[in-house]
Amino acid sequence: MKLTRFRFNSRAFTLVEMLIVITIIALLASLTMGAYTYAMRSSKRRTTTGTFEAIKLALERYNTEFGEFPEPAGKEQMVEIIPGKSYDTSGAACLYQALTGDGYDQIKGVSASTGSDKSSAASDGKTEGTAEIKNMMLVEVPRTIWTAKSSRYLIIDAFGRPFQYIKAASATAAAGGAGGAATTATTVNSTYDLWSYSEDEQNITSTSIQSQEDPKISVKWIKNW
């Protein structure tokens, strides 16, 4: 009986073939990561927009309750939020206190003697007290929309960056009642400017009034003007 032998012709991959396979794998990985990054960025932007709308409603409640919008006690309080990137936190600190009821030292013109009925001037991250609940303008304050940086509590967006908030300057009257004196505008709106830099990593020190002069600055922002 004659046995038939089978010969298997095995051949190793050539260098060119291996490079082609590696290139295809790298391309697929790049496409997958790109899609994932885009999805994450879109999700964070949607979350930021939701928080943004909640802040606007809460500010209206504050205005109804106290007859004015809150004004930051300080300005240009720069804090490093992301390594190598510092942001102005004065507006975010004011928003945190005005909308959560936790403290009042970051709100201009508010003190214990003005009937604020808050337990402490400085924030401590707690909003369960009777006095603080009474002054809470946001219906819910999830931990994801605030953080503590450099002993200051801030309202932040989904990208982890502080919301920017500026109250419009009050018009001043000219001496002797001879009409109103010209006031240098600090905001686009007549009430307040509110914005998030969102995914913008370049124009993080630009203000709302600067964006009006150059609209390209605020293309990626979420804003109320």
Side-chain angles (χ1 to χ4, degrees), residues 13 16 21 28 41 66 70 77 79 113 120 157 166 172 198 221:
F13 286 108
V16 173
V21 171
L28 291 174
R41 186 183 296 116
F66 299 107
Q77 297 173 331
V79 174
S113 61
S120 174
D157 60 22
I166 302 176
T172 56
S198 191
W221 300 1

Side-chain angles (χ1 to χ4, degrees), residues 54 61 99-100 136-143 145:
R61 289 187 61 192
L99 306 185
T100 67
M136 185 182 292
M137 299 296 119
L138 277 170
V139 177
E140 293 182 359
V141 189
R143 181 65 179 82
I145 72 168

